């Protein structure tokens, strides 16, 4: 009894040293932790690829061959003599091993562990090499393959699928290799297999055709066969996604049960007069979303809705009309934006829209004067101000509303959940106002369901008619002259051009060098006095920055060279070309945002993605997606799929406020949808999870694993 909770030190093969290492590197302390540490892929020991069929298009492969020769290289690829003399290992930079099977030969390359690999890869001996093949100067190679002795034909027992566990350099150096990991898992299972407890009630297992948890854990480590692995994986992923969604939806249920909402039932004069004086027809998507919002308003419950819509899809109008519905019902509305620039933009627009309604609109920002503040505070308290737009200044404590009905938050990802919560308490009677959160950051559906899983989601998936999509081209950087010629023609036609450099290096200094080199080159092609080129970057003083920015915005400069470190916040409708240097370094969503800065005017506009001509096929196909579509959501979805688990889980998701052990938001969208629907179904029958049959669910949630802790990390 209780072995699951005991320290891994009690497993054979784990002493105090390894225990400390496993704790430090992987956070594994107990046997249970160890059992919850799953392989991230499996080697199919039964499949060997003939060397002649190896191509760089293949993912991980396994070849079996005998060593033909081994060569040691020093700096500058000079061959190091391996004759009788002792090798000076310090001078060795690379080990190259040529391996052959009946069909052909290929190279294995090592930059690390050279001495050891040199010793064991003796010519004439046969090994199995596992890794990702690549094409180096026309020859196939694998860099740092995993090397194993070949399995005897028809090796008995252990299934053909062997788990590969995530590892670190320190673990490997400490002797915790893949094989050791397998042994530890095996020992853990031998000791505790009977102790693995079910976390789901029987009826849930039955209704979702899941396997038991004990079966799943056993087979995730040592799959009996492909089918067993699939069952095990599905069970563990489903469970993880289910609990995550259950936790999110439970909060939502509690809120809608206990938080009565302000009933906003009528459509009145303000809404109608604004609507009637619109210079354009609303898009179908805008109309649909306004209906969804109005349904929430009338429901008697508090609205918590996320509105997603690409840049330019017309979210502001939806927010304004929703605010007017609130105002028509006797309430006030506020809209909070993340920056002063955006706030001013909104204010100017909203004043225009509100003109026909006679409603008083105000703006509050960090730079409002004391006197303005006093007036605004008074106006909000006596109700004479119907609509206010502002920055964070709005949630400062001394801002009091007479009767706030709707709070709109633009660009949600810049606000933390605490800030959102502070808007809730802006009413004296404690009833929370309705909340509409807007974002243009296209995030994939699965991610939205998780990050905003406690919100209802509306999507504007249609741009206003007549928008010309930005034409996007890919150009390798050794053909940059073409780009310059194109820029020249556009400038001659009276247009302006953005040239953006990415943040490539950790150090801003090197980035700056990079930018300045580009700037010099552009100056050569676009010499004064015929052309004027402005440059803006993060290390300039505000004065210089503003001056250069204004030169471009006011049409005095033809070209603006900048980094993305600074926010190119100004709208320049005359700019028709966005050139992005080293575009292979950017995330697709960021490229999409940058591209959104052109195409505002009536003219045809262009985005040129300049990439390093050595860019690999995968990275290039990512960029090609940009040329294929202007749809930010499609881009986000595809980006997530293409980057696959590696990138997303390694770098992207690690910034998220939740960590998933086995499920992936990129690959398991269907399962997530299922699990969410089922969680909704469970809660509909038992919102508090109070029925005895659901006790295991509550117990699991209470462990806190599935709580989203910090929304402010989302960006
Ligand atoms: P978002 O905030 O979603 O990026 P905006 O609300 O700022 O987009 O709208 C972008 C532009 O489109 C604005 O100039 C707005 O006046 C205009 N617009 C909004 N809805 C429509 C529509 N249905 N038809 C034509 N133009 C529209
Ligand atoms: Mg907007």
């Amino acid at each position: 009894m209780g072995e699951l909770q005991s320290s891994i030190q009690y497993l054979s093969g784990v002493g105090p040293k390894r225990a400390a290492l496993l704790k430090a590197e992987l956070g594994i302390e107990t046997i249970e932790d160890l059992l919850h540490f799953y392989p991230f892929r499996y080697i199919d020991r039964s499949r060997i690829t003939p060397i002649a069929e190896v191509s760089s298009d293949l993912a991980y492969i396994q070849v079996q061959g005998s060593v033909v020769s081994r060569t040691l290289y020093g700096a500058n690829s000079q061959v190091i003599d391996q004759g009788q003399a002792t090798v000076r290992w310090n001078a060795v930079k690379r080990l190259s091993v040529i391996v052959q099977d009946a069909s052909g030969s290929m190279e294995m390359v090592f930059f690390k562990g050279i001495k050891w690999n040199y010793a064991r890869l003796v010519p004439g001996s046969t090994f199995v090499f596992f890794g990702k093949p690549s094409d180096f100067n026309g020859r196939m190679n694998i860099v740092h393959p995993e090397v194993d002795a070949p399995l005897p034909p028809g090796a008995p027992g252990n299934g053909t699928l062997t788990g590969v566990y995530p590892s670190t350099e320190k673990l490997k150096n400490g002797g915790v290799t893949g094989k050791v990991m397998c042994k530890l898992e095996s020992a853990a299972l031998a000791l505790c297999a009977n102790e693995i407890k079910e976390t789901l009630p029987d009826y849930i297992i039955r209704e979702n055709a899941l396997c038991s948890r004990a079966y799943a854990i056993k087979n995730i480590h040592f799959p009996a066969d492909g089918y067993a692995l699939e069952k095990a994986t599905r069970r563990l992923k489903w469970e993880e996604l289910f609990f995550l969604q259950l936790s999110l939806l439970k909060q939502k249920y509690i809120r809608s049960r206990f938080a009565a909402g302000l009933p906003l039932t009528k459509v009145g004069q303000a809404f109608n007069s604004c609507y009637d004086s619109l210079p354009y027809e609303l898009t179908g998507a805008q109309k649909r979303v306004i209906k969804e919002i109005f349904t929430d308003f009338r429901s008697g419950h508090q609205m918590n809705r996320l509105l997603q819509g690409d840049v330019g899809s017309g979210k502001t109008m939806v927010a304004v009309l929703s605010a007017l519905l609130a105002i028509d019902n006797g309430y006030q509305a506020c809209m909070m934006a993340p920056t002063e620039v955006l706030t001013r933009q909104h204010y100017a627009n909203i004043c225009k829209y509100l003109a026909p309604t006679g409603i008083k609109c105000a703006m509050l920002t960090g730079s409002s004067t004391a006197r303005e503040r006093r007036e605004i505070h008074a106006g909000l308290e006596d109700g004479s101000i119907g609509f206010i737009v502002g920055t964070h200044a709005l949630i400062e404590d001394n801002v009091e509303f007479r009767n706030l009905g709707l709070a709109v938050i633009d660009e949600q990802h810049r606000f933390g959940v605490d800030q959102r919560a502070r808007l809730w308490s802006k009413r004296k009677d404690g009833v929370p106002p309705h909340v509409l959160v807007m974002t243009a950051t296209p995030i994939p559906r699965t991610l939205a369901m998780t990050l905003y899983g406690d919100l209802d989601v509306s999507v504007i998936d249609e741009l206003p008619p007549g928008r010309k999509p930005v034409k996007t081209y890919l150009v390798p950087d050794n053909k940059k002259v073409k780009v310059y010629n194109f820029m020249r023609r556009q400038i001659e036609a009276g247009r302006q051009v953005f040239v953006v450099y990415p943040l490539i290096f950790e150090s801003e200094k090197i980035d700056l060098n990079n930018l300045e080199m580009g700037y010099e080159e552009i100056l050569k092609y676009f010499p004064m006095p015929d052309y004027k080129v402005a440059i803006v970057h993060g290390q300039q003083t505000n004065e210089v920055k503003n001056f250069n920015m204004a030169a471009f915005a006011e049409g005095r400069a033809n070209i603006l060279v900048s980094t993305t470190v600074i926010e190119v916040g100004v709208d320049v409708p005359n700019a028709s070309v966005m050139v992005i240097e080293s575009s292979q370094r950017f995330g697709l969503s960021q490229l999409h945002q940058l591209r959104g800065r052109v195409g505002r005017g009536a003219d045809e506009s262009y985005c040129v993605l300049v990439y390093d001509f050595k860019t690999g096929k995968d990275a290039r196909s990512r960029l090609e997606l940009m040329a294929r579509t202007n749809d930010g959501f499609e881009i986000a979805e595809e980006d997530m799929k293409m980057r696959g688990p590696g990138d997303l889980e390694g770098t992207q998701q690690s910034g998220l406020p939740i960590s998933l052990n086995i499920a992936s938001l990129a690959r398991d969208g269907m399962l997530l949808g299922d699990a969410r629907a089922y969680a909704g179904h469970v809660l509909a029958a038992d919102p508090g999870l109070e029925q005895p049959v659901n006790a295991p669910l509550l117990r699991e949630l209470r462990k806190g694993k599935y709580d989203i802790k910090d929304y402010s990390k989302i960006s």
Side-chain angles (χ1 to χ4, degrees), residues 222-241:
F222 302 101
D225 51 34
Y227 177 72
L229 175 60
E230 208 176 292
K231 273 193 91 72
T233 310
R234 177 167 178 275
R235 150 78 208 224
L236 294 173
K237 285 183 173 179
W238 192 91
E239 168 177 344
E240 188 167 61
L241 296 169

Side-chain angles (χ1 to χ4, degrees), residues 428-493:
K428 291 187 188 98
D429 60 5
V431 179
H434 297 289
V435 176
L436 179 66
V437 170
M438 306 199 292
T439 177
T441 309
I443 50 174
R445 197 181 54 93
T446 53
L447 203 54
M449 261 197 252
T450 304
L451 297 179
Y452 306 118
D454 64 325
L455 303 177
D456 295 304
V457 179
S458 292
V459 178
I460 306 189
D461 49 8
E462 182 186 354
L463 288 181
R467 290 276 161 82
K468 279 194 196 153
V470 180
K471 287 197 174 144
T472 302
Y473 300 99
L474 268 59
V475 182
D477 57 3
N478 54 1
K479 302 253 163 64
K480 218 148 83 181
V481 177
K482 270 183 156 172
V483 180
Y484 292 140
N485 289 338
F486 176 69
M487 285 165 61
R488 195 170 286 151
R489 284 198 298 279
Q490 287 287 310
I491 292 170
E492 271 155 20

Side-chain angles (χ1 to χ4, degrees), residues 387-425:
F387 196 159
I388 181 153
V389 186
T391 56
H392 291 78
L394 272 184
I395 41 177
E396 279 165 16
D397 290 332
N398 54 353
V399 178
E400 298 239 358
F401 290 84
R402 179 157 161 271
N403 198 7
L404 182 63
L406 171 69
V408 180
I409 306 175
D410 198 14
E411 303 298 341
Q412 138 87 14
H413 57 286
R414 308 239 193 133
F415 291 108
V417 73
D418 306 349
Q419 289 166 317
R420 207 175 353 136
R422 264 199 269 168
L423 278 170
W424 282 38
S425 56

Side-chain angles (χ1 to χ4, degrees), residues 203-204 207-208 238-250 253 671-687 689 694 697 701:
Y203 81 96
I204 293 186
E207 287 179 15
N208 294 281
W238 192 91
E239 168 177 344
E240 188 167 61
L241 296 169
F242 169 74
F243 277 117
L244 180 67
Q245 292 298 328
L246 191 68
S247 160
L248 290 161
L249 290 174
K250 188 160 174 285
Y253 267 92
L671 212 53
L672 175 61
D674 275 4
R676 181 171 170 90
Y678 195 79
H681 165 77
V682 169
L683 287 166
D686 182 13
L689 299 177
N694 286 328
L697 299 180
L701 287 185

